[in-house]
Amino acid sequence: MDKNKFMRNRDDSESAKVIAFVHHKGGTGKTTSCLNIAGWLVKMKKKTLVVDLDPQGNATAGLGVDRNTVDGSIYDVLFGQKDIEETILETDSCIHLAPSSLDLLATETHMAGKVNNTTIIREKLGKIEKYFDYILIDVPPGSTLLMINGIIASENIIIPLDSGIFAYETMETLKTLLIDLDEEIGVQTNVMMALLKGYPISIFDRGPTREIKKLLKKFLTANVTSDVRIFTIPFSRKVYKAQMKGKPISHYAPHSGVGRAYRKIAKEILTIDD
Ligand SMILES: Nc1ncnc2c1ncn2[C@@H]1O[C@H](COP(=O)(O)OP(=O)(O)OP(=O)(O)O)[C@@H](O)[C@H]1O
Ligand SMILES: [Mg+2]
């Protein structure tokens, strides 16, 4: 882990593309997708920062960083105690990280009365966008000020979903949230893609996931945007193992099924960018 290396080696004339991983439902694969896509983007020579906005700190741990030992977190940045540059680390997989801390749990209470409390992250990232090609924000579940900050800071959102029985219903709720953001604070979000987390089923039993994918496609086309792509991520124990080792799948098992699935998604992101 190295600090502040990110200031070097980049043509500063362009700004990063900022993408948030969003779903108010817990456990849909936001953090896993954020880290695994970041890993591939780095392997594709893109300078990438992960911003861990979640008090759970899963993105921080998933990159092998012990948040109890970090010198400053996104909490300190939110409340003006540190510049964001001071908190950024380069992790072993070369992904840069703005780490979370447990203090983030108190954010809602502390931010509630503040002016412009939905645009703080956008403002802070504005200062460092020139150093990165991509900034990926791991947004916590729920419908909180941190979540809204993550969405407002991003030009694009990626929606990870699980393919369980309630997946379709939760899309309705998410749609309502996006409409509210647009109507209440004038934020229009571009849904870049949806990622459907596969279930631990045998290859002979992919029917239910396919069925949900079809329904989602119909729903997204009718309600969100007509050309949104949906990728299915296979279930794999390698995902757990990689996370236990503090590595993205691109660095742990790049040639596995799940490794290749995330590679395809990262490539698609680069294509959208061109
Ligand atoms: N493709 C996969 N195969 C197997 N397990 C997976 C896969 N994707 C995610 N998981 C596991 O599912 C669990 C939830 O994933 P993850 O933490 O990424 O979801 P999340 O949406 O970030 O959750 P939260 O809302 O709590 O932040 C984790 O234990 C993760 O290891
Ligand atoms: Mg998460």
Side-chain angles (χ1 to χ4, degrees), residues 69 109 155 161 210-211 240 266 269:
T69 63
T109 335
E155 303 134 60
L161 301 125
R210 279 208 200 104
E211 201 48 43
Y240 283 102
I269 291 173

Side-chain angles (χ1 to χ4, degrees), residues 1-2 63-65 90-95 245-248 251:
M1 193 183 352
D2 190 5
L63 288 174
V65 174
E90 183 170 4
T91 64
D92 293 344
S93 47
C94 298
I95 298 170
K245 298 261 180 210
K247 289 182 180 186
H251 293 60

Side-chain angles (χ1 to χ4, degrees), residues 23-33 54 56 58 138-141 160 197-198 233-237 239-240 243 258 262:
H23 202 308
H24 57 281
K25 187 171 188 285
T28 61
K30 295 178 283 297
T31 305
T32 303
S33 298
D54 190 340
Q56 298 180 96
N58 297 150
D138 186 28
V139 173
K197 186 172 105 174
I233 318 284
F235 179 90
S236 168
R237 285 183 182 79
V239 168
Y240 283 102
Q243 287 169 344
V258 66
Y262 276 115

Side-chain angles (χ1 to χ4, degrees), residues 74-252:
I74 205 77
Y75 176 87
D76 303 305
V77 175
L78 274 171
F79 295 101
Q81 287 150 13
K82 287 223 184 243
D83 285 338
I84 190 160
E85 296 94 318
E86 292 177 78
T87 67
I88 294 174
L89 311 163
E90 183 170 4
T91 64
D92 293 344
S93 47
C94 298
I95 298 170
H96 288 80
L97 170 72
S100 150
S101 74
L102 260 183
D103 302 331
L104 273 177
L105 278 174
T107 309
E108 295 300 308
T109 335
H110 294 181
M111 268 166 85
K114 289 204 159 206
V115 220
N116 300 334
N117 62 7
T118 54
T119 53
I120 306 177
I121 292 294
R122 184 172 70 188
E123 182 204 314
K124 304 289 181 189
L125 291 184
K127 287 171 61 194
I128 52 160
E129 277 178 13
K130 61 183 179 204
Y131 298 122
F132 296 98
D133 297 304
Y134 287 91
I135 297 179
L136 306 186
I137 308 181
D138 186 28
V139 173
S143 173
T144 60
L145 275 170
L146 280 170
M147 181 215 212
I148 295 170
N149 262 275
I151 294 177
I152 290 182
S154 315
E155 303 134 60
N156 292 283
I157 64 169
I158 291 182
I159 305 178
L161 301 125
D162 68 39
S163 48
I165 193 70
F166 299 127
Y168 191 70
E169 281 76 4
T170 57
M171 277 312 293
E172 278 282 0
T173 327
L174 191 64
K175 182 188 127 198
T176 311
L177 181 80
L178 296 180
I179 291 173
D180 281 354
L181 279 173
D182 185 6
E183 289 178 356
E184 304 289 330
I185 14 185
V187 175
Q188 278 144 20
T189 41
N190 178 36
V191 179
M192 197 179 209
M193 60 180 69
L195 310 177
L196 199 53
K197 186 172 105 174
Y199 255 61
I201 47 173
S202 88
I203 52 166
F204 304 109
D205 189 20
R206 293 216 168 121
T209 308
R210 279 208 200 104
E211 201 48 43
I212 290 195
K213 188 171 176 180
K214 259 197 253 163
L215 283 169
L216 279 174
K217 183 81 194 160
K218 222 165 127 186
F219 180 86
L220 289 168
T221 307
N223 296 291
V224 183
T225 163
S226 58
D227 57 0
V228 67
R229 284 196 67 181
I230 304 175
F231 291 86
T232 307
I233 318 284
F235 179 90
S236 168
R237 285 183 182 79
K238 292 199 170 73
V239 168
Y240 283 102
K241 288 185 183 165
Q243 287 169 344
M244 298 263 296
K245 298 261 180 210
K247 289 182 180 186
I249 203 76
S250 49
H251 293 60
Y252 179 77

